[in-house]
Amino acid sequence: MQLYYFSSAAIALLFTSLASQAQEQNGINTEVELGAVYTTGNTENENITFRGEVDWRRDEWEYGFLLDGFRASQNDMRTAQRLYYVAEADHNINELSSIGGRLAHEDDAFSGYDGQTDISINYGRNLLTDRENMSLTLDAGLGARSSRSPEGNFDEAIIRLAGDYQWAVSETATFGQLLSTVAGDRTSIFRSESSIETRILDNLSLRFSINVRHQTEVPTGRKKTDTETAITFAMNF
């Protein structure tokens, strides 16, 4: 348990280091989120959620890296632990279109899978470009996924569809909605992330989010749908 929190702190320091470099290198944006709840007494609970995202633009290329983690324990017994990584590289064909590659890996100790990794080539299209306070990006791609579980390992071809909608409700508040589907022959994964982010200071915001993950086929004894509601502080650089 202490190792996990130490690792989370180390990751936070890494993203903070990257953020300091962002002040010197044009085109790099960094966001770090952290939320934690600790209770003691009759019941001891520890919950920590961490999210770090780095986006880098250079000429016609855009690079992105995302790390999303969550851990929960009760009375020193681990009840949840998840790490989700995403790395992307996109080439802008023009102001509206792009093409790129995406690599994602998820480790969820309670999902029944030892790990799931997918890689895909995607085409992206920017919509709502005539709206100053809104943006919508749609992605479609093809690729492959590798799944490992005690019940057996398997590989499959996938089709990926995703949408990212952002709405600047006011000067200090932003609503976001992310939807994605990664469909395969054996199993499909659907994700939804709804969020409201309110800026408190120039680079500090309070973020409320609801994440839903649904997988059509899961190992025996596991639930298909996971829901996570979080309130976190987000620092932008």
Side-chain angles (χ1 to χ4, degrees):
M1 180 175 61
Q2 294 179 350
L3 178 60
Y4 180 86
Y5 293 126
F6 176 78
S7 299
S8 298
I11 293 171
L13 289 174
L14 172 62
F15 274 90
T16 303
S17 175
L18 291 173
S20 64
Q21 295 179 19
Q23 299 177 355
E24 301 177 359
Q25 300 183 33
N26 187 28
I28 299 180
N29 296 312
T30 305
E31 181 175 271
V32 177
E33 292 181 42
L34 184 64
V37 176
Y38 302 94
T39 63
T40 60
N42 293 320
T43 302
E44 295 185 359
N45 290 298
E46 298 178 351
N47 299 277
I48 184 169
T49 180
F50 171 82
R51 180 186 176 101
E53 188 170 0
V54 176
D55 296 308
W56 176 28
R57 295 186 179 184
R58 184 174 183 179
D59 299 329
E60 288 81 23
W61 285 91
E62 295 184 19
Y63 306 93
F65 178 75
L66 168 70
L67 172 60
D68 189 357
F70 175 75
R71 190 186 194 281
S73 65
Q74 184 173 4
N75 296 328
D76 293 329
M77 295 293 293
R78 186 181 59 175
T79 58
Q81 182 171 305
R82 172 184 54 79
L83 285 173
Y84 182 52
Y85 314 82
V86 179
E88 295 182 278
D90 298 305
H91 181 267
N92 295 319
I93 302 172
N94 50 47
E95 294 182 356
L96 300 179
S97 303
S98 64
I99 188 169
R102 179 181 184 273
L103 175 66
H105 176 75
E106 184 170 29
D107 279 321
D108 189 335
F110 292 83
S111 68
Y113 286 98
D114 295 329
Q116 291 184 289
T117 304
D118 65 75
I119 184 170
S120 59
I121 301 297
N122 301 271
Y123 171 78
R125 184 77 175 180
N126 296 322
L127 304 176
L128 301 181
T129 54
D130 58 334
R131 304 293 296 272
E132 293 184 358
N133 65 334
M134 293 185 185
S135 66
L136 175 62
T137 303
L138 300 179
D139 291 332
L142 299 173
R145 175 170 55 215
S146 176
S147 300
R148 306 189 311 275
S149 76
E151 296 182 358
N153 305 333
F154 61 91
D155 300 325
E156 59 186 329
I158 58 171
I159 297 175
R160 180 177 179 270
L161 301 173
D164 181 359
Y165 173 71
Q166 300 292 322
W167 175 24
V169 182
S170 66
E171 293 183 357
T172 59
T174 302
F175 169 78
Q177 178 64 60
L178 301 175
L179 293 172
S180 68
T181 300
V182 181
D185 296 333
R186 296 279 298 272
T187 184
S188 299
I189 299 175
F190 305 90
R191 297 179 188 270
S192 171
E193 179 182 317
S194 305
S195 65
I196 289 286
E197 187 170 320
T198 303
R199 189 170 72 248
I200 302 173
L201 301 173
D202 288 342
N203 66 337
L204 180 64
S205 301
L206 184 65
R207 190 170 188 266
F208 173 76
S209 62
I210 300 175
N211 297 327
V212 180
R213 180 188 185 277
H214 177 80
Q215 186 157 351
T216 56
E217 297 295 333
V218 296
T220 305
R222 305 296 179 174
K223 294 184 178 180
K224 295 182 178 181
T225 303
D226 292 309
T227 302
E228 179 184 320
T229 302
I231 298 178
T232 57
F233 285 102
M235 297 190 67
N236 299 275
F237 303 89

